Amino acid sequence: MAKKQPSPKRLTRKQLSRLERERTMQRYVVFGVGGLLVVVVLVLVAGFVYDRVLLRRQPIARVEDRSVTVAEYQKLVNLERYLLFRTMRTFGEQLRQLPDDESSTFLRQVYTQRLQQLSQEYQSLPNQVFEELVQDMIIEARAAELGLTVTDEEITKRIEEQMAQEINAITPDQLEATATAATEATATAAAWTPTPTVEATPTAPVTATEQVTLTQILTPTATPLPTATPNVLTPARFQEVYRAFLAELQEQVGITEEDYRQFVRRQLLRDKVRQYVADQVPTEEEQIYLKAAILPTEEEAQALLEEIQAGTPFDEAVEAYAREQAGDLGWFGRGQMVPAFEEAAFGLQPGEISDPVETEFGWHIIQVTARDDENGRVRARHILVESREQAEEVRQRLEAGEDFAELARELSQDTASVEGQGVIDVGWIVRDQPGIPNEVLEAAFELQAGQVSEPIPLGDTGFVLAFVAQGPEVRPLPPDILAQRQEDAFQAWLREQRAELTVERLWHPSKVPGDPFEGRLRDILRLALSR
């Protein structure tokens, strides 16, 4: 007989109520979690849409009615990143190919330093690209007024030159220009080469069978030297290199051919406007040929000036003074010399001569010629030799009455203090010559050829006598000065345009695109710095 199954126990009303509450709570939890997930997804989608669509459509800069979007800016940033990355990659590859021995130590240092410099430039690219973008917008706004445009042919020509550089070649236009320049140079040289007049005195009659001419005698037979065949970029090779370049651009940073041509167009227009402004800068200016002498005290400068005014030529007077001051170190305060030298010098009174003093440079005999206790400095001269015995001998000869300057010229190994500054041959200068104090420039341009200035104070440096050897006369500007003037003129032109135009800058760090080369650049630098 089968066992009877127990009937299920019925839940009480209280238990049923609790079960219903638990089920309700579970439904709330499920709905709440589901709702939260929906909100998170919506936020992520909104962020993605904003970052990839809305943000990229926003303007990053406006000039008058022209604007550039964030998307255009981000393309430019990544294009510049890519171009600089390629350069750094090349340096890294060349660095890895260097032999790991002492023979390549210098080259390794050069490559490493250059990579570090390029790395710093790479980090500043987002800001730099934005500034250039604003400049290009200003240029666009004014180029038409200046009558400056860029044609498709000019863009193609510039790209051809860039692709030729990629493979160490030259374009047909560059080859033609080189040949034309060589022809003109040869023609110019021929025009200025005098024809020699030769008087021939025959020592024996020339027979009909010999037929030796004077031209044959004077014209040596030269063995032609081999010439290198230029690597000229052919149309087929250009297409091959250019298509490979564009394919890598598209793959690495999503840049199309049209994007790149627009990039080149901006470069060309910038170059044209820069050249337009540069052409307005004068290439000649009044200049003087300046010589100078620096003396430690006004009294010495005045004495030398009086000697020159009395008729002694400037160079002769200054060089004679430099010889008399052989070994002079000028004025110096504490902390400017090595400790042993300083201790000995500050322990002497004017005219006193030290015992031999040893430093890392050798053995010194020091004489203090003046003290300025109020300003905590002394003026001293010294003679530097190799050994204590030599220093003792120098001291004995000085005590016997020999001239300090003559002994310094004879024995001292400190050539800088022995030779002194003498005449400083500055050369031709302009009124705003870089590196020369304004006081000296102002005084010098008041002089005529053959005149010397009054002593010009230059603080702790001493006193300067400025001497005009030639000029003033109008001369072509040196290339470095002219280039700086042209750059200054271009920057001034940009400032003027910014002041006249409505320029709105909307850059923010959040608008800088992610860096697709960050990891690879880190690897390049790590490998370079680990060697």
Side-chain angles (χ1 to χ4, degrees):
M1 181 175 175
K3 189 176 181 180
K4 187 177 179 179
Q5 296 292 331
S7 59
K9 187 177 180 180
R10 297 182 63 184
L11 297 176
T12 66
R13 184 179 298 176
K14 183 177 182 181
Q15 289 173 328
L16 289 172
S17 176
R18 184 188 306 123
L19 182 61
E20 183 62 28
R21 286 198 303 271
E22 289 174 354
R23 288 174 177 171
T24 302
M25 184 62 68
Q26 288 175 353
R27 285 195 295 270
Y28 287 159
V29 170
V30 170
F31 291 152
V33 171
L36 181 60
L37 288 174
V38 170
V39 171
V40 170
V41 170
L42 289 175
V43 169
L44 291 175
V45 170
F48 179 83
V49 171
Y50 176 79
D51 186 54
R52 296 302 180 93
V53 181
L54 300 180
L55 175 65
R56 290 168 60 82
R57 290 178 179 176
Q58 291 180 0
I60 197 168
R62 291 193 187 95
V63 175
E64 296 293 309
D65 58 346
R66 302 167 185 263
S67 64
V68 172
T69 65
V70 172
E72 293 175 275
Y73 163 73
Q74 290 181 343
K75 277 188 175 182
L76 282 174
V77 170
N78 280 335
L79 174 57
E80 292 281 12
R81 281 172 169 169
Y82 167 71
L83 297 175
L84 193 52
F85 165 74
R86 295 175 83 241
T87 301
M88 296 175 71
R89 182 177 61 188
T90 301
F91 271 102
E93 292 170 352
Q94 292 172 345
L95 182 59
R96 285 194 297 273
Q97 293 171 4
L98 292 176
D100 193 11
D101 55 41
E102 292 184 0
S103 65
S104 59
T105 299
F106 176 72
L107 279 178
R108 280 204 305 273
Q109 291 175 346
V110 171
Y111 280 117
T112 301
Q113 290 174 2
R114 183 58 180 147
L115 276 172
Q116 290 173 329
Q117 292 171 354
L118 292 174
S119 177
Q120 293 175 354
E121 292 178 22
Y122 189 91
Q123 299 304 319
S124 64
L125 272 179
N127 284 327
Q128 178 186 327
V129 169
F130 177 73
E131 294 300 331
E132 289 180 352
L133 184 59
V134 173
Q135 284 186 14
D136 289 342
M137 295 175 71
I138 293 172
I139 288 170
E140 288 271 5
R142 293 303 197 206
E145 299 175 12
L146 302 177
L148 300 175
T149 58
V150 175
T151 65
D152 287 341
E153 291 75 15
E154 289 173 322
I155 295 173
T156 300
K157 182 179 178 181
R158 173 64 65 88
I159 293 175
E160 287 177 352
E161 292 170 356
Q162 292 172 344
M163 295 305 105
Q165 190 175 7
E166 284 280 312
I167 59 172
N168 295 319
I170 58 175
T171 66
D173 287 344
Q174 290 172 327
L175 178 64
E176 182 180 350
T178 302
T180 301
T183 302
E184 292 175 352
T186 303
T188 302
W192 283 94
T193 301
T195 303
T197 302
V198 179
E199 296 181 2
T201 304
T203 57
V206 178
T207 65
T209 57
E210 291 175 328
Q211 294 296 314
V212 179
T213 66
L214 187 59
T215 302
Q216 290 173 323
I217 295 172
L218 294 178
T219 305
T221 302
T223 302
L225 297 174
T227 57
T229 302
N231 181 18
V232 181
L233 182 71
T234 64
R237 183 66 171 137
F238 165 71
Q239 288 298 328
E240 178 186 348
V241 175
Y242 185 41
R243 292 304 158 195
F245 175 75
L246 289 176
E248 190 173 359
L249 266 184
Q250 178 67 48
E251 177 187 352
Q252 297 290 338
V253 286
I255 298 293
T256 65
E257 180 177 9
E258 182 56 34
D259 293 332
Y260 188 68
R261 289 183 68 87
Q262 180 66 9
F263 173 73
V264 174
R265 190 190 74 82
R266 283 176 173 151
Q267 285 182 327
L268 286 168
L269 191 58
R270 189 188 313 151
D271 291 345
K272 285 191 173 186
V273 172
R274 186 183 289 273
Q275 188 59 51
Y276 171 85
V277 176
D279 289 341
Q280 318 305 313
V281 177
T283 59
E284 296 182 332
E285 188 173 298
E286 184 180 75
Q287 301 174 48
I288 59 173
Y289 194 105
L290 178 66
K291 294 184 177 182
I294 300 178
L295 299 100
T297 67
E298 185 174 10
E299 293 74 15
E300 289 171 284
Q302 189 63 44
L304 187 59
L305 173 61
E306 291 172 2
E307 183 179 347
I308 295 168
Q309 290 175 335
T312 304
F314 182 83
D315 287 22
E316 181 181 326
V318 175
E319 294 301 334
Y321 169 82
R323 287 194 299 273
E324 293 171 1
Q325 301 300 316
D328 187 27
L329 298 171
W331 289 95
F332 57 88
R334 291 190 178 275
Q336 293 181 256
M337 300 293 181
V338 293
F341 190 99
E342 176 186 299
E343 182 180 355
F346 277 88
L348 299 172
Q349 294 300 315
E352 291 182 347
I353 297 173
S354 72
D355 291 327
V357 177
E358 185 181 17
T359 71
E360 59 196 82
F361 303 104
W363 289 85
H364 309 257
I365 292 297
I366 307 167
Q367 183 183 48
V368 168
T369 56
R371 292 184 66 98
D372 180 7
D373 292 329
E374 182 177 346
N375 294 302
R377 60 180 189 157
V378 297
R379 182 179 178 185
R381 53 185 177 176
H382 79 139
I383 297 173
L384 175 66
V385 291
E386 289 184 352
S387 66
R388 183 183 184 91
E389 290 73 18
Q390 290 174 312
E392 291 282 7
E393 181 184 349
V394 169
R395 193 176 195 284
Q396 291 171 8
R397 291 175 65 176
L398 289 171
E399 289 175 343
E402 292 194 45
D403 183 72
F404 196 104
E406 289 182 6
L407 274 179
R409 289 196 300 273
E410 177 187 345
L411 301 172
S412 183
Q413 297 178 350
D414 181 7
T415 55
S417 68
V418 169
E419 295 172 359
Q421 284 189 315
V423 176
I424 303 173
D425 194 340
V426 181
W428 289 100
I429 63 169
V430 294
R431 289 183 178 271
D432 59 347
Q433 184 76 27
I436 300 180
N438 290 333
E439 306 93 307
V440 176
L441 290 171
E442 292 172 3
F445 273 91
E446 293 294 325
L447 304 173
Q448 297 297 315
Q451 293 182 337
V452 62
S453 71
E454 294 292 322
I456 306 167
L458 284 184
D460 293 339
T461 303
F463 291 80
V464 175
L465 293 180
F467 174 73
V468 174
Q470 299 179 57
E473 63 180 73
V474 175
R475 295 172 55 86
L477 289 170
D480 58 334
I481 299 291
L482 179 59
Q484 187 60 55
R485 296 272 181 89
Q486 291 171 338
E487 177 61 24
D488 292 344
F490 178 66
Q491 296 302 326
W493 181 85
L494 283 174
R495 288 193 295 272
E496 291 174 5
Q497 308 317 308
R498 285 194 190 97
E500 295 176 5
L501 297 169
T502 302
V503 179
E504 191 174 1
R505 304 161 63 90
L506 303 170
W507 185 89
H508 187 271
S510 63
K511 298 177 181 178
V512 176
D515 187 351
F517 307 105
E518 184 177 7
R520 284 173 284 179
L521 278 179
R522 192 184 303 114
D523 291 340
I524 291 173
L525 292 172
R526 179 176 52 79
L527 289 172
L529 297 177
S530 64
R531 296 199 57 175

